[in-house]
Coordinates of all heavy atoms in Angstrom, one line a residue:
I22 N 94.3 102.5 112.4 CA 93.8 103.0 113.6 C 94.6 102.4 114.8 O 94.9 103.2 115.8 CB 92.3 102.7 113.8 CG1 91.5 103.5 112.9 CG2 91.8 102.9 115.3 CD1 90.0 103.1 112.8
Q50 N 84.7 96.4 83.4 CA 86.1 96.8 83.7 C 86.1 98.3 84.1 O 85.5 99.1 83.4 CB 87.0 96.6 82.5 CG 87.5 95.2 82.3 CD 88.4 95.1 81.1 OE1 87.8 95.1 80.0 NE2 89.7 95.1 81.2
D74 N 86.6 112.8 109.5 CA 87.8 113.6 109.7 C 88.9 113.2 108.8 O 89.8 114.0 108.5 CB 88.2 113.5 111.2 CG 87.2 114.1 112.1 OD1 86.9 115.3 112.1 OD2 86.6 113.3 112.9
I122 N 95.1 80.9 80.5 CA 94.3 82.2 80.8 C 94.7 82.8 82.1 O 94.7 82.1 83.1 CB 92.8 81.8 80.8 CG1 92.3 81.4 79.4 CG2 92.0 83.1 81.2 CD1 90.9 80.9 79.4
L128 N 94.8 96.9 83.2 CA 95.4 97.1 81.9 C 96.9 97.0 82.0 O 97.6 96.5 81.2 CB 95.0 98.4 81.3 CG 93.5 98.5 80.8 CD1 93.3 99.9 80.3 CD2 93.2 97.5 79.8
Q133 N 101.8 94.2 80.3 CA 103.2 93.7 80.6 C 103.3 92.2 80.4 O 104.3 91.7 80.0 CB 103.6 94.1 82.0 CG 103.8 95.6 82.2 CD 104.3 96.0 83.5 OE1 105.5 95.9 83.8 NE2 103.4 96.5 84.4
A136 N 103.3 91.4 76.7 CA 104.5 91.8 76.0 C 105.6 90.7 76.2 O 106.4 90.5 75.3 CB 105.0 93.1 76.6
K137 N 105.6 90.1 77.4 CA 106.7 89.2 77.7 C 106.3 87.7 77.4 O 107.1 86.8 77.2 CB 107.2 89.3 79.1 CG 107.8 90.7 79.4 CD 108.4 90.8 80.7 CE 109.2 92.1 80.9 NZ 109.8 92.3 82.2
F233 N 104.9 111.6 88.4 CA 105.0 111.0 87.0 C 103.5 110.7 86.5 O 103.2 111.1 85.4 CB 105.7 109.6 87.1 CG 105.7 108.8 85.9 CD1 106.4 109.2 84.7 CD2 104.9 107.6 85.8 CE1 106.3 108.4 83.6 CE2 104.9 106.8 84.7 CZ 105.6 107.2 83.6
V243 N 94.7 103.7 81.2 CA 96.0 103.7 80.6 C 96.9 102.6 81.3 O 96.9 102.6 82.5 CB 96.7 105.1 80.7 CG1 98.1 105.0 80.2 CG2 95.8 106.1 80.0
H274 N 111.6 104.1 81.4 CA 112.9 104.9 81.7 C 113.1 104.9 83.2 O 112.2 105.0 84.0 CB 112.8 106.3 81.1 CG 114.1 107.0 81.3 ND1 115.2 106.7 80.6 CD2 114.4 108.1 82.1 CE1 116.2 107.6 81.0 NE2 115.7 108.4 81.9

Side-chain angles (χ1 to χ4, degrees):
I22 288 172
Q50 277 180 282
D74 298 293
I122 296 173
L128 290 176
Q133 291 185 81
K137 294 186 178 180
F233 172 71
V243 178
H274 184 69

